[in-house]
Amino acid sequence: MKTVLSGRTAEVIIDTDGPVVIIGESINPTRRRKLVSSLQEGDFSYVLELAASQIKAGADILDVNVGYPGVDDAKLLPEVVIAIQDNFDIPLCLDSPNPSAIESALKVSAGKCLINSVNGKEESLRALIPVAKEYGAAIIGLCMDDDGITNDPEKRVSIIEKIIDRAVAAGIRAEDVIADPLAMAVSAEPQACVITLETIRLVHRKLGQNITMGASNISFGLPDRESLNSAFMTLAVYCGVTCPIANPEKTAAVARAADLVLGRDDYAIRFVEYFQSRNS
Ligand code: THG
């Protein structure tokens, strides 16, 4: 299955049989106070720096989230989208708890975007599916709903199925729904990663969707996060994750290595190119 996204002109194909596509996570105010403070002063240089460094490190798509208490992101999100797309030709993944911010950003965005954090709650489906349809965007569906988050992988899958059904009923193509199995901190729940991996496997086998996840969520509160994230990322890619949301500076090498090991990089061409570009 292929999900095609685009920037102003550049197309990115997320293919369930293809190499890992990295959605760069860094344009997110969590742990980056400077992002909010610079944007509130009307200074876009830091957000553009974050975009440039992630693209250089291997991001194929950029997640854009400027939601923060006191920030009017219905105003700010479209401004940031314009600033990024004026400077970089890359598809964007828009995230906000505020559906009107998503809509105002889609109005000004070029190409085909991804809407992050759609979930199985009625409120989310009603607000965001019509917006995705109207602006021709793809969506990320999180497997949580009005009953919260379940630890039963089968139930997580059924929430993804519900989101796909609702999207398809509204005229969105099934391949434009990317599943998020919910990666959560293994320090808080010992089975968290196993539950997520099983959900990934089931979505891949039963539904065949492209699959994302917040790749660094699992290591919150633990030392040596990079080793943990690498171990999890490799297993998740093996089970069916195709487009993790991650820090490319820390995960691009693991992604290229996983592609090679899994027979998705004939003659190690991408792997070798990646290391040449990194060392140049
Ligand atoms: N699913 C979906 N969207 C998501 C998440 C998800 N968006 C938010 C989050 N989870 C993924 N994005 C981030 C963004 C920033 C950071 C972590 C996850 C972050 N990390 C630390 C930092 O940069 O200091 C540590 C980074 C590291 O160790 O590499 O700020 O699950 N659909």
Side-chain angles (χ1 to χ4, degrees):
M1 189 181 284
K2 289 185 174 70
T3 309
V4 183
L5 302 174
S6 57
R8 255 180 302 104
T9 65
E11 238 180 38
V12 169
I13 299 170
I14 309 168
D15 184 346
T16 44
D17 295 317
V20 172
V21 166
I22 297 175
I23 305 176
E25 71 177 15
S26 307
I27 302 176
N28 185 316
T30 319
R31 312 247 221 129
R32 267 192 201 85
R33 268 304 284 146
K34 188 176 164 190
L35 180 62
V36 184
S37 57
S38 61
L39 289 172
Q40 279 177 324
E41 288 160 15
D43 173 7
F44 289 79
S45 59
Y46 183 58
V47 77
L48 293 175
E49 240 175 69
L50 287 173
S53 58
Q54 290 185 97
I55 293 167
K56 183 164 183 287
D60 303 288
I61 297 165
L62 297 178
D63 191 59
V64 183
N65 182 341
V66 295
Y68 203 78
V71 170
D72 175 9
D73 71 342
K75 178 172 173 288
L76 196 54
L77 191 62
E79 289 176 2
V80 170
V81 163
I82 291 169
I84 295 172
Q85 290 196 323
D86 277 349
N87 288 277
F88 306 100
D89 190 5
I90 187 167
L92 302 180
C93 174
L94 307 171
D95 201 356
S96 168
N98 177 4
S100 68
I102 299 286
E103 182 164 12
S104 49
L106 286 170
K107 263 186 197 148
V108 299
S109 74
K112 180 174 167 191
C113 295
L114 192 50
I115 302 175
N116 197 355
S117 304
V118 177
N119 62 61
K121 294 180 185 171
E122 268 314 306
E123 193 188 359
S124 175
L125 296 169
R126 288 204 188 121
L128 291 170
I129 286 183
V131 172
K133 172 63 186 162
E134 183 174 351
Y135 294 93
I139 64 175
I140 292 177
L142 310 180
C143 55
M144 56 189 283
D145 64 8
D146 292 297
D147 295 327
I149 299 172
T150 164
N151 277 342
D152 179 343
E154 299 272 359
K155 288 188 185 148
R156 287 196 186 183
V157 176
S158 69
I159 296 170
I160 301 288
E161 282 179 294
K162 176 174 81 175
I163 298 171
I164 296 168
D165 288 348
R166 293 283 290 267
V168 168
I172 295 168
R173 284 191 300 256
E175 59 263 38
D176 281 340
V177 181
I178 296 180
D180 187 327
L182 293 185
M184 301 195 327
V186 72
S187 54
E189 163 55 61
Q191 297 304 310
C193 292
V194 176
I195 293 162
T196 302
L197 290 171
E198 185 56 18
T199 307
I200 294 165
R201 198 198 309 269
L202 289 170
V203 170
H204 179 69
R205 284 208 194 130
K206 287 173 65 173
L207 309 177
Q209 301 306 115
N210 274 304
I211 305 173
T212 186
M213 62 174 189
S216 62
N217 301 354
I218 63 127
S219 60
F220 284 131
L222 290 169
D224 195 8
R225 294 187 62 182
E226 231 173 303
S227 299
L228 270 171
N229 293 346
S230 299
F232 183 62
M233 183 77 151
T234 311
L235 294 166
V237 169
Y238 181 58
C239 291
V241 162
T242 48
C243 49
I245 302 175
N247 177 347
E249 281 157 27
K250 295 179 178 169
T251 56
V254 183
R256 294 291 76 86
D259 287 338
L260 175 56
V261 168
L262 290 171
R264 296 172 190 169
D265 181 12
D266 291 355
Y267 308 105
I269 288 171
R270 293 211 342 141
F271 186 78
V272 171
E273 269 175 11
Y274 171 74
F275 277 94
Q276 282 169 345
S277 74
R278 207 170 68 155
N279 295 327
S280 67

